[in-house]
Amino acid sequence: MTWLVFVLLTVVALASAVMVITQKNPVYSALFLVLNMLSLAGFYVTLGAPVVAAVQVIVYAGAIVVLFLFVVMLLDLRKSIARDRSLGYEGLLAIALGSLFVFTMLLVFWGASPPAGGTVSAVNGTMEQIGKGLFQKWVYPLEVCSVLLLAAIIGVVVLANKEAGQGK
Amino acid sequence: MTGFNPLDYVNSSDFLSTAPELLLVGVGLLILMLDLFLPAKRRELIVQVTVMGLLLSLAIVWIGWPDSQSEAFSGMLVVDGYSQFIKMVVLLGALLVVFISGRYLRNEGIYVAEFYELLLFSSVGMMVMASGANLLTIYLGLELMSLPLYVLAAFLRANRRSTEAGLKYFLLGGFSSALLLYGISLIYGLTGTTNLMALQHSLASLPVSPPLLVAMVLLVAGFGFKVSAVPFHLWTPDVYMGAPTPVVAFMSVGTKAAAIAAFARLMVVSFGGLQSSVWASMLIVLAVGSMVLGNVVAVVQNNVKRMLAYSAIGHGGYLLVGLIASMKPGSVVGLPDGLTSLLFYLFGYLFANIGAFAVVIYLGREGQHESYEDYSGLAQTRPWLAAVMMIFLLSLTGIPPTIGFVGKFYIFAAAIGSGYTVLALIGLLTSTISLYYYMGLGMYMYMRPPVERHVFYPTRGLTISLIVCAVATVLFGILPQTWVHLAQSGVLQLWH
């Protein structure tokens, strides 16, 4: 049963990921991204982490992709839809090298035995566990994350600000 | 609910061991607030606060220099002489860059507090990487280092080349981060831990399997990008050309130092000499490629910034030689000599490289007066400037009595000591090639008649940093012992 759910989720996740990058209309791309996020949330549920799954749905599928949609609709990207879709030699090279990479990875993981060294301990993804983890053992990475987000916000303000940095 | 006591996990010694980083974050926040309330005339205060913060952080690093390794925040980071040495290099680099950037920012009309904030946050990221003892911490440090640099590279928003540099650096940097993260997740999947010490135990009992090899390749790709090692170097010339010169000076030293420090810690502590032949064979390809391509392509450049970009690729190769020299095939733990030479080389590269970029800033505005012809006859119009530039170029080539010579000497000696004689020979050979283009610039300065249209942009900050860099380059080239011992004791603490 778990196996079936896993396969289903995998197929949906991979297919929607491919659809995200092959759609002509960016709005459709964003919607397929939602589907992709939702299937990832499904993985988290099967791994025993319902809180992470809920966060995935609320934050990623909900807030972030909706923001994407806002930007896409406000920018009115119609012109770029009609771009030249021929590949050129760079595209062919990229496809060739990408296929080589996928092929190598398949070869590597085909029949690779599960690791002997360590099995990840069973996750107990309740709210309490996550909260304790974040603010006890992992508090330092959490704080580094907060500085990282602050730096990102400052960076966006700098790049989007009309007055600063006009060059002359 | 059972008692939640955060102090079980965090105590005051944790905060003390991260005091340099915390201080810089605090200064960054302070500047953010100051910027809101200060009138435009008092902007100088922001620079002064930044300098004070960096100096204080440097003082904390210096005073709290550890005698042995200690953990903090439940093993998320460690503080040892090795991490402190890298932090010192990063802080000195940031300090020199603040000094050389004042007039530049005003000339380009980007004299804003955000520049200093992003510089500080990026330095914090580098310091987090240097101390990181957990793959997660190292990765977050890498992102905190890179994200501000992407923005800083695009800081001249009206300049097309700068915007292009920022976007290029961002896209390729994001891609390389993804590769690194993939490698980290594979390692986690194989061992069930991200702690470097715990990894050591797990990896020791793990047979060499294809997934582990793939993980190693991905890690090399992720870190190789930051060191701009061939074949992950393609972004380097364009980003160095387009990004603001002080930013380039900062990232050429800081990014390399932090990335190679974290990578070396992962390799030496976690793998502890395991699979050293696999690591070595991968890194040798990168090192030889970087040394040869960087130095050969630099010969045909006619733009000083672009020449310095290719030479930076070459210097990345020399750093990798030091890293390779720390692994002797068959030995269980790494050899300290290689890493010691690596640290010392970074220390020397710091002064020579930032000094060279300071001269570029002295000579002209962004995108102007960067060709070799603009340096013609500098020895007649500005004899002192030509003299210090000559010192930096000699140091970058590796000619005594400069610090660059000592650094290269130690690196090649360590490589020969570990049995990589051919690698050392290639290094010597490519250094000879670098003599050609560095002295080509020297020839323009000393043998050509001066050009008329020289405009100079001297400031007190530029003069101070030029003097500091030149004095350090020569003085520590003659008396390197203190720093070599410091680097050596730091490296020896890695395993304890």
Side-chain angles (χ1 to χ4, degrees):
Chain A
M1 180 59 197
T2 330
W3 183 81
L4 190 69
V5 173
F6 177 77
V7 170
L8 260 175
L9 285 172
T10 310
V11 170
V12 174
L14 288 178
S16 58
V18 171
M19 293 305 267
V20 171
I21 55 169
T22 49
Q23 283 303 307
K24 278 184 185 174
N25 190 332
V27 178
Y28 292 164
S29 285
L31 291 175
F32 275 112
L33 193 58
V34 175
L35 190 60
N36 183 258
M37 301 282 184
L38 288 176
S39 52
L40 290 185
F43 281 123
Y44 297 143
V45 172
T46 56
L47 285 171
V51 181
V52 180
V55 169
Q56 170 83 9
V57 173
I58 295 167
V59 176
Y60 282 94
I64 291 184
V65 179
V66 169
L67 275 181
F68 277 176
L69 279 174
F70 265 120
V71 173
V72 167
M73 288 179 176
L74 285 177
L75 282 182
D76 190 26
L77 293 172
R78 268 174 218 292
K79 280 179 210 127
S80 58
I81 294 170
R83 70 186 189 281
D84 182 18
R85 291 186 69 83
S86 64
L87 279 169
Y89 78 97
E90 289 117 331
L92 291 176
L93 191 67
I95 288 176
L97 290 178
S99 318
L100 187 69
F101 180 72
V102 171
F103 182 70
T104 316
M105 294 308 267
L106 282 178
L107 216 61
V108 162
F109 289 108
W110 202 261
S113 55
T119 43
V120 181
S121 57
V123 190
N124 182 7
T126 62
M127 194 67 103
E128 188 185 343
Q129 290 296 321
I130 290 174
K132 274 190 175 168
L134 278 183
F135 286 98
Q136 291 181 347
K137 188 177 177 204
W138 301 95
V139 68
Y140 184 69
L142 181 77
E143 294 306 326
V144 177
C145 269
S146 69
V147 180
L148 177 64
L149 287 178
L150 178 66
I153 293 171
I154 295 173
V156 168
V157 171
V158 168
L159 291 182
N161 187 358
K162 280 218 166 65
E163 287 166 25
Q166 284 301 318
K168 287 276 140 49
Chain B
M1 185 178 145
T2 49
F4 171 75
N5 186 3
L7 291 183
D8 292 347
Y9 285 84
V10 178
N11 54 48
S12 55
S13 75
D14 288 340
F15 290 108
L16 269 183
S17 21
T18 50
E21 290 94 330
L22 287 175
L23 182 83
L24 286 193
V25 173
V27 172
L29 296 176
L30 181 68
I31 295 173
L32 198 63
M33 297 306 289
L34 275 180
D35 188 36
L36 283 177
F37 299 114
L38 275 184
K41 281 184 296 184
R42 305 280 315 276
R43 280 278 171 78
E44 276 301 313
L45 189 64
I46 287 172
V47 186
Q48 287 157 5
V49 169
T50 311
V51 170
M52 289 310 290
L54 286 167
L55 277 175
L56 210 60
S57 184
L58 197 59
I60 297 173
V61 167
W62 190 250
I63 292 166
W65 203 277
D67 298 321
S68 62
Q69 194 179 60
S70 59
E71 283 190 352
F73 286 108
S74 33
M76 289 299 144
L77 70 143
V78 291
V79 174
D80 50 21
Y82 177 80
S83 71
Q84 302 311 88
F85 197 96
I86 296 290
K87 285 181 196 174
M88 182 184 74
V89 168
V90 167
L91 287 168
L92 280 173
L95 204 56
L96 287 170
V97 167
V98 170
F99 273 116
I100 64 175
S101 56
R103 173 62 68 88
Y104 176 91
L105 298 181
R106 223 167 303 154
N107 279 342
E108 306 296 332
I110 51 170
Y111 192 59
V112 285
E114 282 84 358
F115 182 88
Y116 297 102
E117 281 153 29
L118 292 171
L119 197 72
L120 286 175
F121 287 145
S122 183
S123 313
V124 173
M126 291 168 185
M127 291 158 78
V128 170
M129 278 182 89
S131 270
N134 189 304
L135 289 174
L136 186 66
T137 323
I138 292 177
Y139 174 73
L140 284 172
L142 183 117
E143 287 296 315
L144 182 56
M145 163 182 92
S146 311
L147 216 61
L149 282 179
Y150 302 145
V151 179
L152 286 172
F155 223 78
L156 302 167
R157 287 184 316 140
N159 182 331
R160 261 192 67 178
R161 282 199 319 197
S162 173
T163 326
E164 187 195 324
L167 190 65
K168 201 170 230 171
Y169 194 30
F170 173 65
L171 290 176
L172 292 175
F175 189 63
S176 79
S177 291
L179 291 181
L180 179 68
L181 209 51
Y182 195 5
I184 289 176
S185 73
L186 282 178
I187 295 260
Y188 179 64
L190 287 168
T191 60
T193 179
T194 51
N195 184 293
L196 296 193
M197 292 293 178
L199 269 176
Q200 189 182 12
H201 300 295
S202 307
L203 286 170
S205 59
L206 204 66
V208 185
S209 58
L212 184 64
L213 292 179
V214 171
M216 288 162 76
V217 170
L218 291 169
L219 290 173
V220 167
F223 284 110
F225 176 87
K226 296 293 173 200
V227 192
S228 56
V230 174
F232 312 109
H233 67 286
L234 289 167
W235 58 277
T236 316
D238 292 340
V239 173
Y240 275 42
M241 271 283 270
T245 315
V247 177
V248 178
F250 180 62
M251 71 183 188
S252 65
V253 176
T255 314
K256 276 202 183 73
I260 208 153
F263 185 46
R265 192 190 287 277
L266 168 71
M267 226 176 65
V268 172
V269 173
S270 300
F271 284 82
L274 293 165
Q275 279 91 49
S276 59
S277 55
V278 182
W279 284 122
S281 53
M282 275 194 288
L283 291 175
I284 284 173
V285 174
L286 261 63
V288 171
S290 308
M291 289 190 294
V292 171
L293 187 134
N295 285 311
V296 169
V297 180
V299 169
V300 294
Q301 302 304 318
N302 188 32
N303 179 300
V304 177
K305 262 177 104 177
R306 217 174 165 84
M307 179 271 277
L308 286 171
Y310 280 106
S311 98
I313 297 175
H315 286 286
Y318 297 125
L319 289 171
L320 287 175
V321 173
L323 190 58
I324 296 164
S326 69
M327 295 174 299
K328 195 172 192 166
S331 77
V332 182
V333 289
L335 296 177
D337 283 357
L339 292 181
T340 308
S341 66
L342 174 70
L343 288 189
F344 185 79
Y345 194 85
L346 276 171
F347 185 69
Y349 184 61
L350 159 80
F351 294 112
N353 206 42
I354 293 190
F357 278 112
V359 174
V360 174
I361 293 176
Y362 199 106
L363 230 69
R365 292 184 51 172
E366 189 64 51
Q368 302 168 10
H369 309 306
E370 283 172 4
S371 71
Y372 276 34
E373 281 81 22
D374 291 307
Y375 287 71
S376 298
L378 200 63
Q380 289 172 41
T381 46
R382 284 283 191 284
W384 284 107
L385 192 64
V388 290
M389 185 62 168
M390 206 60 194
I391 291 176
F392 301 141
L393 292 175
L394 286 175
S395 179
L396 288 172
T397 323
I399 290 178
T402 57
I403 197 166
F405 165 73
V406 187
K408 272 191 180 153
F409 175 79
Y410 277 122
I411 285 208
F412 296 149
I416 291 171
S418 311
Y420 298 103
T421 317
V422 178
L423 203 59
L425 277 178
I426 295 174
L428 277 175
L429 216 75
T430 51
S431 297
T432 321
I433 298 175
S434 77
L435 182 70
Y436 178 78
Y437 61 82
Y438 286 132
M439 288 311 113
L441 185 58
M443 202 191 72
Y444 269 97
M445 293 193 302
Y446 278 89
M447 317 289 257
R448 296 276 176 110
V451 283
E452 276 309 309
R453 56 198 167 77
H454 261 322
V455 198
F456 295 104
Y457 298 95
T459 58
R460 221 168 7 152
L462 261 178
T463 316
I464 293 171
S465 49
L466 280 174
I467 292 172
V468 168
C469 288
V471 169
T473 305
V474 177
L475 186 69
F476 301 144
I478 300 168
L479 303 165
Q481 282 85 359
T482 325
W483 305 102
V484 175
H485 286 314
L486 206 60
Q488 199 164 29
S489 71
V491 169
L492 288 175
Q493 289 172 27
L494 265 179
W495 290 281
H496 301 293

